[in-house]
Amino acid sequence: MGINRMNHAVLFVRDASRQQRFYSEVLGFTTVIDDPGSYVFMRAPDSKNHHDIAFFTIGDEAGDSEAGRSTVGMYHIAWEVSTLAELAEMRHRLSDAGALVGASDHHYNKSLYAKDPDGLEFEVMWLTPADRWGPQEHEAIVRPLDLEGEQRADADHAEQSS
């Protein structure tokens, strides 16, 4: 018995409807529950959860998060995609939305970093298959992400495994 995965996150935001539009238009989430002006519960495109994220409106006068600068708090949440091609598509969508703020190769996962309309950071990542982690599994790795090169290497690996 034990925890087997994260199920959902709930965030206080300035305007839940603004987050709803962003998560829908950019990330493809669908709305499950919506109380305009108060809260919204959303599900990721391929999720089997009831909801993966919920937003509660606290008003436009709310200040920016100081988490990591002067207060404790969450750094980011991460959304996983199934393929490197989906990660490449997400890079274009996040870039087109002006939300993309970074990209990293952590060896065991390939990551894009972005910010939502309130400036809260999130990650969209592809998990490298565990049989490729090797001894680097226990290292904190941050390298520049070469997404096109990773796609070629993944295709070569799949071809060699066939």
Side-chain angles (χ1 to χ4, degrees):
M1 171 176 12
I3 295 171
N4 63 19
R5 67 185 181 97
M6 185 179 142
N7 184 273
H8 66 271
V10 178
L11 304 175
F12 291 114
V13 297
R14 291 182 181 98
D15 181 346
S17 296
R18 184 170 51 225
Q19 296 286 2
Q20 179 184 27
R21 284 188 301 279
F22 176 84
Y23 269 73
S24 174
E25 293 169 7
V26 178
L27 301 176
F29 281 53
T30 57
T31 300
V32 179
I33 300 171
D34 183 10
D35 183 358
S38 296
Y39 54 81
V40 62
F41 290 66
M42 301 187 80
R43 182 181 304 127
D46 294 331
S47 175
K48 293 178 179 33
N49 283 341
H50 175 267
H51 64 280
D52 295 289
I53 195 159
F55 302 104
F56 282 78
T57 297
I58 61 171
D60 284 331
E61 66 283 350
D64 291 340
S65 172
E66 290 293 323
R69 292 186 298 268
S70 63
T71 64
V72 297
M74 189 182 326
Y75 173 22
H76 68 257
I77 56 176
W79 305 109
E80 184 177 344
V81 295
S82 298
T83 67
L84 284 167
E86 289 173 321
L87 190 63
E89 172 60 25
M90 194 56 64
R91 179 180 59 188
H92 292 295
R93 295 177 75 159
L94 292 167
S95 182
D96 288 350
L100 187 65
V101 296
S104 296
D105 178 344
H106 299 293
H107 179 67
Y108 32 80
N109 60 283
K110 313 306 177 189
S111 301
L112 304 174
Y113 296 93
K115 291 192 177 182
D116 73 13
D118 279 350
L120 300 174
E121 191 165 324
F122 63 92
E123 175 182 354
V124 179
M125 49 82 64
W126 176 74
L127 183 64
T128 305
D131 63 352
R132 298 187 211 169
W133 295 349
Q136 292 177 315
E137 174 182 3
H138 302 288
E139 297 176 27
I141 299 168
V142 181
R143 294 187 294 245
L145 178 61
D146 174 8
L147 194 48
E148 291 74 17
E150 290 297 332
Q151 287 178 288
R152 287 189 301 276
D154 189 54
D156 290 346
H157 188 318
E159 191 174 291
Q160 291 171 3
S161 297
S162 298

